[in-house]
Amino acid sequence: MEQVDGRTIVSASDLVAHLACSYVTTLDAEAASGLRPRPAGDDPELEVLRRRGFEHEAAYLAELGEAGLDVVEIPDDHGGPAAGRVEALRRAEARTVAAMEAAADVVYQATFLDERGAVLWRGHADFLRRVPGPTALGAYGYEPVDTKLARHVRPSAVLQLCHYAEQVERLQGAPPDRVHVVLGGHDEESVRLAEVAAYYRAARARFLSALGEHAPGYPVPVEHCAVCPWLPVCEERWEADDHLCRVAGLGREQVRKLTAAGIATLGALAGSPPGLRVRGMTDATVGRLQVQARLQHRRRPGEPPPVELIRGVEPGRGLSALPPPDPGDVFYDIEGDPFVGDAGIEYLHGVGWLDGGSFTFRAFWGHTPAEERRAFEGLIDLLVERRRRFPGMHVYHYANYEPHALGKLMGRYGTREAELDDLLRGQVFVDLYRVVRQGLVVGSASYSLKKLEPLYMPARAEAITDAASSIVEYERWLQTGDRRILADIEAYNRTDVESTRLLRDWLEARRADLVRSGETVDRPEIRAVEPSPAPSSDEADGDPDELVARLLDGRVDPPGADAPAGERARWLMAQLLAWHQREAKPEWWRYFDRVLQC
């Protein structure tokens, strides 16, 4: 959003941001008017997203060229001084119209400037693709195509395309029938414009109404905060206002209910009397939030957060979910990059354990699909062998990403299926995040592992300190090949693994505190688990994994269409061997995950 010669210029991105958070429109409008400075916008992770987005767009552009299509590119000459911006946009739109009238197969970086209203709309479609059908141009017209890194079509992408479709209709006299998204895996999804146009018109009207009202509103935390450059401004205001949204685990609807009950700040909730009744909230929920607010209110800068243990421990929940420590216990953490390849990559599995009182760490690296598969197999083989030696061992991790990623890798490569099933059915994986959330209250606005570390370990001193930074650094390694970056990432991962071990020990000490106070804290029931049945003689000739390995002969990626027929047939046979069982696994995993969380 900007103002040029007293007129406001907006784009589809402004519309999408408004629907995610209406307060963004207030801040953008104030910045456009010169009432506040714009944010610096130097977020390294967002820069990675932009670069990957440009690469994806360039790859699709190259595909169009290789297909022999006539591609006309509209030059980007409208980023100069504000005084000449409108005229530059007009010239770019005129070039876009000329390319459409010349019946170009594809118009790249098509530019629009809609001056029909009080607010000017600018637009830059990645591609316009020529399709047959009568329009004012002749027996053909154009449909907008956008490239997105996402693996699924998101509503925000469809809304942007609706705006481009509106502009295409203005230029060619007829609306496009469909809009298209080329996803991160290069799959293309199409949406009929008639199915979404009504919502787009309503959303556009809401956005323009908000612009005209100049209502300041109030920022509330939403999903968009994670990528919003204005987040530091909002956080500063929440801190100054002592807003309820600072209470960990308190949702937007709960904020509304508490405010209606006269509790409008964290301090007010912390000082509210026991037995507070809030319409629409259970007494247990109100009591838990009161404790959370009280502990956060009590915390002093530079000190570890205060902690309160939850009493009346239910079997299998909280501190009662901690199995007995075992000499074979393993602590585990993954590093991944969602932008590599078509489906991202889990490039580092870090595991650690105590060996004779000293901490041993091992890293499994994989930078290609073949290496990723070998790293996964090596990790599972280590866990299986360690469990054979130590039947009471468990694998500790923080939050559910690790088991989820292992299931994804097993499904992707069709390997170590029985072994992973046995580990999951035996409840070998222990989620310490679940133990923390169910077992105690911490006076911190976040329950991330990094925010808990002041309770049990000194501050980190490594070059990399969080998961977002590790992605940025791995992307930098992909560009530079600097091996020191990988060493820094491994050091960060090792600290995460050690932190998980120290957290487990700290939680064991808190469990002992409860037991000494007279509380009954059971250990989880150890269930006898039958190993996965071996295939019968009529199901496979020998070990299915060995048969798959023989069929694939070391191949990880599917053969191309130009590969020999026998090679493609062997690949297909290998994938079909356990296809039905593999397809059913995610459904059963989800089922048992829900059962175990109850």
Side-chain angles (χ1 to χ4, degrees):
M1 186 185 303
E2 60 182 336
Q3 284 194 2
V4 179
D5 298 331
R7 302 187 72 182
T8 301
I9 304 178
V10 298
S11 69
S13 298
D14 297 314
L15 168 62
V16 169
H18 175 77
L19 296 178
C21 173
S22 60
Y23 195 66
V24 170
T25 303
T26 298
L27 295 173
D28 284 341
E30 290 177 356
S33 302
L35 298 178
R36 68 165 66 238
R38 293 187 183 276
D42 56 352
D43 187 329
E45 190 175 8
L46 290 181
E47 286 304 314
V48 169
L49 277 170
R50 291 190 189 98
R51 179 177 58 79
R52 283 289 187 174
F54 290 143
E55 291 173 356
H56 178 38
E57 181 182 299
Y60 182 67
L61 177 63
E63 290 178 16
L64 296 175
E66 290 168 3
L69 297 176
D70 172 29
V71 180
V72 175
E73 180 175 356
I74 307 303
D76 179 5
D77 62 353
H78 38 77
R85 189 109 68 235
V86 172
E87 189 56 40
L89 288 167
R90 287 173 182 152
R91 290 195 302 269
E93 180 176 275
R95 294 190 186 102
T96 300
V97 172
M100 295 169 69
E101 290 175 343
D105 292 327
V106 177
V107 183
Y108 175 50
Q109 287 299 305
T111 301
F112 314 107
L113 181 65
D114 189 346
E115 302 183 67
R116 293 176 295 179
V119 173
L120 307 187
W121 285 84
R122 66 183 292 178
H124 307 278
D126 289 346
F127 302 92
L128 297 184
R129 192 165 59 200
R130 194 183 71 191
V131 295
T135 69
L137 301 171
Y140 66 92
Y142 288 87
E143 294 179 342
V145 181
D146 244 16
T147 54
K148 298 294 182 185
L149 287 174
R151 305 292 189 255
H152 306 281
V153 178
R154 295 176 178 170
S156 57
V158 176
L159 280 171
Q160 280 188 299
L161 285 163
C162 284
H163 169 65
Y164 302 150
E166 179 184 33
Q167 301 308 311
V168 169
E169 179 181 5
R170 177 173 60 86
L171 299 182
Q172 70 182 20
D177 181 54
R178 295 175 184 274
V179 297
H180 313 272
V181 183
V182 179
L183 298 167
H186 289 262
D187 294 329
E188 184 173 313
E189 296 284 347
S190 301
V191 178
R192 289 186 64 241
L193 185 62
E195 295 177 357
V196 293
Y199 176 75
Y200 163 72
R201 290 192 296 269
R204 185 179 185 275
R206 283 167 49 196
F207 171 60
L208 292 175
S209 175
L211 272 180
E213 290 174 0
H214 303 291
Y218 193 87
V220 292
V222 292
E223 185 179 354
H224 182 69
C225 292
V227 296
C228 182
W230 291 110
L231 179 60
V233 173
C234 296
E235 288 179 328
E236 184 178 334
R237 182 164 182 183
W238 294 331
E239 181 78 22
D241 295 347
D242 195 29
H243 196 268
L244 279 170
C245 69
R246 297 171 58 233
V247 179
L250 197 153
R252 185 172 178 176
E253 185 62 17
Q254 292 171 325
V255 169
R256 185 189 65 78
K257 292 174 180 177
L258 284 167
T259 302
I263 307 294
T265 65
L266 184 152
L269 181 59
S272 59
L276 174 70
R277 309 296 294 273
V278 177
R279 185 181 178 86
M281 295 173 64
T282 66
D283 293 344
T285 298
V286 174
R288 176 181 59 80
L289 292 173
Q290 285 178 301
V291 174
Q292 181 67 54
R294 187 177 70 247
L295 293 181
Q296 286 184 228
H297 192 66
R298 228 172 66 196
R299 184 177 186 178
R300 296 294 173 260
E303 296 181 0
V307 174
E308 188 168 309
L309 304 180
I310 295 176
R311 297 185 172 273
V313 182
E314 301 177 35
R317 292 178 62 84
L319 295 173
S320 186
L322 285 172
D326 187 272
D329 286 338
V330 171
F331 305 90
Y332 175 40
D333 185 66
I334 287 181
E335 305 303 329
D337 186 337
F339 307 121
V340 174
D342 291 342
I345 189 170
E346 310 300 344
Y347 63 82
L348 172 58
H349 302 264
V351 289
W353 59 88
L354 287 175
D355 188 359
S358 62
F359 184 73
T360 299
F361 175 79
R362 183 170 175 184
F364 294 87
W365 285 92
H367 305 296
T368 66
E371 292 174 357
E372 182 183 42
R373 173 178 179 151
R374 286 196 292 270
F376 166 68
E377 291 174 337
L379 170 73
I380 296 298
D381 291 347
L382 180 146
L383 297 181
V384 169
E385 170 60 21
R386 196 161 180 84
R387 192 182 182 206
R388 184 189 65 77
R389 292 172 51 208
F390 303 98
M393 65 85 75
H394 287 83
V395 179
Y396 294 86
H397 56 95
Y398 197 79
N400 197 43
Y401 184 81
E402 279 70 22
H404 173 76
L406 291 178
K408 182 175 64 176
L409 292 170
M410 182 279 294
R412 180 182 301 167
Y413 296 115
T415 181
R416 302 300 188 269
E417 297 179 60
E419 292 85 350
L420 182 57
D421 272 351
D422 288 341
L423 292 171
L424 292 170
R425 283 199 310 234
Q427 299 181 31
V428 171
F429 294 94
V430 179
D431 183 359
L432 293 181
Y433 174 76
R434 178 171 170 252
V435 173
V436 169
R437 291 298 284 163
Q438 294 177 354
L440 44 101
V441 183
V442 182
S444 170
S446 168
Y447 278 64
S448 72
L449 185 65
K450 313 300 184 293
K451 298 300 183 182
L452 299 186
E453 286 176 352
L455 293 167
Y456 55 83
M457 63 183 279
R460 296 184 181 227
E462 292 82 10
I464 302 173
T465 57
D466 57 55
S469 299
S470 71
I471 294 174
V472 171
E473 288 300 294
Y474 188 72
E475 287 284 325
R476 193 162 68 87
W477 173 77
L478 290 172
Q479 292 183 294
T480 65
D482 185 348
R483 303 295 297 184
R484 291 173 297 181
I485 295 174
L486 297 186
D488 287 342
I489 292 175
E490 184 169 314
Y492 162 72
N493 180 264
R494 176 181 177 131
T495 302
D496 267 359
V497 172
E498 290 188 282
S499 176
T500 304
R501 176 183 69 86
L502 293 171
L503 173 61
R504 193 284 304 267
D505 294 346
W506 183 84
L507 289 170
E508 278 290 332
R510 304 292 74 72
R511 180 187 179 279
D513 291 341
L514 271 183
V515 171
R516 280 193 295 270
S517 71
E519 189 85 14
T520 299
V521 187
D522 297 322
R523 294 287 189 182
E525 179 184 354
I526 304 299
R527 302 179 183 179
V529 179
E530 293 294 327
S532 297
S536 60
S537 58
D538 61 344
E539 289 177 322
D541 181 14
D543 184 352
D545 282 347
E546 291 183 7
L547 181 55
V548 168
R550 294 207 308 271
L551 287 167
L552 294 179
D553 192 25
R555 175 177 282 279
V556 174
D557 298 322
D562 56 346
E567 188 174 332
R568 286 184 280 122
R570 287 193 298 274
W571 170 270
L572 181 60
M573 291 173 63
Q575 305 309 311
L576 289 175
L577 273 175
W579 186 86
H580 291 286
Q581 297 95 319
R582 193 176 304 135
E583 284 293 293
K585 287 181 189 296
E587 181 179 349
W588 284 108
W589 288 339
R590 185 62 176 159
Y591 168 77
F592 284 112
D593 184 57
R594 286 177 175 271
V595 169
L596 293 173
Q597 294 295 330
C598 293

